[in-house]
Structures are given as structure tokens and as C-alpha cells.
Amino acid sequence: MEYNIALIRGDGIGPEIVGEAVRVLEKTGEVFSHRFHFTDLLMGGCAIDRIGTPLPDETVEICLKSDAVLLGAVGGPKWDSLPGHLRPEKGLLGIRAALGLYANLRPARLYPALKDACPLKDGVCASGIDLVVVRELTGGIYFGVRGRRQGKNGQEAFDTECYSEKEIARIGKIAFDLARSRRAKVTSIDKANVLESSRLWREVMHGIAGQNAGIDYTDMLVDNAAMQLVRDPSQFDVIVTSNLFGDILSDEASMVTGSIGMLPSASLGEGRPGLYEPIHGSAPDIAGRGMANPVATILSAAMLLRSSLGLEKEARAVEAAVEETLAAGLRTADLAGPGCAPVSTGEMGVEIARRIR
Ligand code: NAD
């Protein structure tokens, strides 16, 4: 099969880590007889430098025509003092809006070889951690009516949480579909004891659960979920939640896996190409020094294979190669403990690619 993948390497360590993900995708193509056509596109600081805008029209047009988009990271101190409309982040928000990406998937998995990097006690993570947070990305309180007004006790400020049945149903569907390909368990997190928007959230989720026999479904209040994530994270498979709760819980969940350089993400829209990127930024402090961990971007490429191209076997092969490489003791600087000589970004990519079969 042939696939078109848009590449946004971006700034800082972006080009280094995307380069390694491309190496891994090319090897995957060779092993499984696929051809990936890559198109390099500008976005972020490098686009500002070359074209004067963080998100060139051509980037949006080509992304929309591609099967999927793989992004490194954008931004850096060089562009920090520019006005808001010219900042690299504007490119990021713009491409997410243009692709209508309403679902953000963030897997958090503790690799056995990295057990020591987990901040939880051995007993807590003994049964393993392998969960995905599915966060609603374009609704809720971040997009609701907000403002300030004069009240009896001085100035007041308000933000509003608003969700429609349609918005809840489409994110619910993503979570249930995902659970079917994993351990068949969905936990929906809300605050239905207090919030009306959460009560509608729960009603719609119950409706979807009723249509999904075979999926073990649970509701959980967000305060309890925050506690359960550090008490017994192994109980979770797929977590589905609103924009605000997902923002907070996905950071909490990601912390249990060790380094920020390990964590991939996928953002999905309706009938448009998905966008895949590591959760970290452009790490200007280590850019150009061959020190960046490429694993988060390589695992993002695995998510791309699975979710946008439907290549499950190939995605698993990439994930298995990452796991084997870590088990063989190879570590980039962020993961190397005392007495462990770190490998470079490129060496890590080569080691992972050669284990794909
Ligand atoms: P960051 O994630 O870039 O870096 C935080 C720390 O983690 C740094 O010490 C960095 O060296 C380290 N780190 C990050 N990724 C790593 C990797 N793959 N391997 C090894 N170490 C890694 O966050 P920051 O320093 O707050 O932001 C730097 C720039 O990135 C800013 O301009 C910010 O706006 C931008 N940013 C972009 C995105 C994105 O493109 N999606 C996301 C977050 C931040």
C-alpha cells in the first residue's frame, strides 16, 4: 500500500526526533511492503523565519490532503518576544483547528525496563501501567462563554462549561472503539454529583455503553480518579473525559511513566487526517546536540500507523521494537541512570529500526 504522510519537523529538537521516526517508518515500510511518501512542511518558528507566518497556507492545504500528519515540536526563545499572532504556538492551534481535531489520545505506559523511573512505590506499579486518556479537545470550559462583570462584592469573573450531546457522543465513540482494540474497559470521568454538564455527559456515555456489549464500563468522579491514578493505576484501560479534566489527568497519568521523552499523542478529527506528536516541546536546551530521546515521536508514528492508516500489525511491530531496545539496556541521556553510558538520538533510532520485523 502507498500512503502520504505530511511531516512538520518544526523547531529545536523537532528535526532530530522526526528524522528518527521517519527512519523507523521507512524500515516498517520495507518489512511490511508499504511505501510512505513524506512531504516536508513548514510550521512554527522555522516558518516565521522563512515565510513570515507560523502557519503557511500551503502547510494546511497539504496536511488536509495527506493520510496523516507527523509533528515534532515548535517554538523556542528566539520567537518568544514576537506578538501573539506571530508566535509559533499560533501555528499549532491553527493546524489543530484546520484539521478539526476534537479528540486527544495520550497513552501512558510503564515499560518494565523503565520501572525505576516510575515515581510510585514498587508495590503500586507492580501490576503494570498501561492506560490511554481520551480527552475532548474542542469543547467544554476552554471554549465556553467567559467574561467579567461588576458584582456586589467588586469585580466577578466567570467561565462556562457547555457540552452538546453530539460532542459527548463522538468522543465517547472514540473511547469505546479504542477499548475494543485494548483490554475492553472504559472509565468515564466527570463531576456529575455537582455539574449539569457532567450529568448530560454521563447520560450520553451510558447510552453508548448500552450499545457496546462486551466493554466493561464505569463512571468515576474526577476527584476520586485523581486519587485512583496514584493509588492503583493498573485498574485503568481507556479513560474518557472532558477538556478540563483531561488536561489535568493526562499530565498526572503521564508522570508515572518516567521521562517526558517517552510519551506520544494522537489528535483525531472527523474524516480528516489525524495529527501525531510527542507530548513534549522543542527542548531548546538540548537542541542540535544529539541528546533528545526520539521514542515519544517514534511511538507517535506507531499511533499514526494504527489510527490513521489502519496498520495494526505494523504499529505493534514498532512498539515491540521500542520495548526490545529498552530491554536491551539502550538509553538516551534523559533515561540513563548512574553508570549507564547514554546513546545519541540517532543511535536510539537505528537500534529501534533494526529491531522491526
Ligand atoms: P519541553 O518539553 O520542550 O522541555 C522540558 C524539559 O524536558 C527540558 O529540560 C527538555 O530538555 C526535556 N525534554 C523534552 N523533550 C525531550 C526529549 N525528547 N528528550 C530528552 N529530553 C527532553 O518544554 P519547555 O522547555 O517548557 O518548552 C520549550 C519550547 O517548546 C517552548 O517554546 C514551548 O512553547 C514549546 N512547546 C511546544 C510544544 C509543541 O510543539 N507541541 C509543546 C510544549 C512546548
Side-chain angles (χ1 to χ4, degrees), residues 309-341:
L309 310 187
L311 301 176
E312 177 64 31
K313 204 165 35 67
E314 292 79 346
R316 282 181 196 251
V318 172
E319 288 160 353
V322 167
E323 185 151 8
E324 259 184 54
T325 306
L326 293 170
L330 291 139
R331 305 276 186 275
T332 41
D334 54 316
L335 296 172
C340 169

Side-chain angles (χ1 to χ4, degrees), residues 109-355:
R109 178 164 179 228
L110 179 63
Y111 287 85
L114 297 183
K115 204 163 60 65
D116 289 346
C118 174
L120 301 179
K121 280 188 186 159
D122 277 1
V124 176
C125 57
S127 1
I129 302 167
D130 183 4
L131 59 89
V132 184
V133 178
V134 177
R135 168 186 170 195
E136 202 290 324
L137 206 55
T138 53
I141 200 161
Y142 292 177
F143 293 90
V145 177
R146 74 193 56 177
R148 292 197 179 203
R149 62 190 167 210
Q150 204 51 42
K152 268 199 251 143
N153 300 311
Q155 211 185 124
E156 295 172 347
F158 61 93
D159 300 275
T160 349
E161 168 99 346
C162 178
Y163 269 115
S164 68
E165 287 177 289
K166 183 184 162 201
E167 285 172 316
I168 303 167
R170 65 184 186 180
I171 194 82
K173 183 176 180 324
I174 295 235
F176 278 82
D177 288 352
L178 182 63
R180 211 165 280 295
S181 66
R182 293 176 45 97
R183 300 196 308 281
K185 191 170 175 193
V186 172
T187 309
S188 169
I189 291 172
D190 61 38
K191 189 70 183 168
N193 54 340
V194 178
L195 302 177
E196 197 54 38
S197 52
S198 279
R199 289 197 262 276
L200 179 64
W201 180 279
R202 203 173 265 211
E203 277 167 39
V204 175
M205 286 295 165
H206 283 198
I208 306 171
Q211 296 156 11
N212 279 274
I215 302 280
D216 174 6
Y217 174 84
T218 321
D219 301 303
M220 193 178 279
L221 294 175
V222 63
D223 37 350
N224 185 25
M227 192 253 288
Q228 296 296 335
L229 269 170
V230 287
R231 196 189 71 84
D232 175 19
S234 69
Q235 71 185 283
F236 296 107
D237 178 20
V238 175
I239 287 174
V240 61
T241 191
S242 64
N243 205 342
L244 172 66
F245 298 156
D247 193 3
I248 299 163
L249 293 177
S250 62
D251 269 23
E252 187 188 357
S254 66
M255 188 52 216
V256 299
T257 63
S259 168
I260 193 171
M262 294 294 299
L263 294 162
S265 80
S267 299
L268 307 176
E270 222 147 5
R272 308 244 181 100
L275 179 93
Y276 300 83
E277 58 179 321
I279 72 157
H280 60 72
S282 60
D285 52 335
I286 55 167
R289 295 164 61 190
M291 285 173 71
N293 184 348
V295 169
T297 317
I298 291 170
L299 291 174
S300 301
M303 293 184 85
L304 178 158
L305 291 169
R306 173 177 293 119
S307 300
S308 278
L309 310 187
L311 301 176
E312 177 64 31
K313 204 165 35 67
E314 292 79 346
R316 282 181 196 251
V318 172
E319 288 160 353
V322 167
E323 185 151 8
E324 259 184 54
T325 306
L326 293 170
L330 291 139
R331 305 276 186 275
T332 41
D334 54 316
L335 296 172
C340 169
V343 297
S344 69
T345 311
E347 284 162 337
M348 195 70 173
V350 167
E351 289 291 334
I352 294 170
R354 80 178 179 82
R355 287 179 170 83

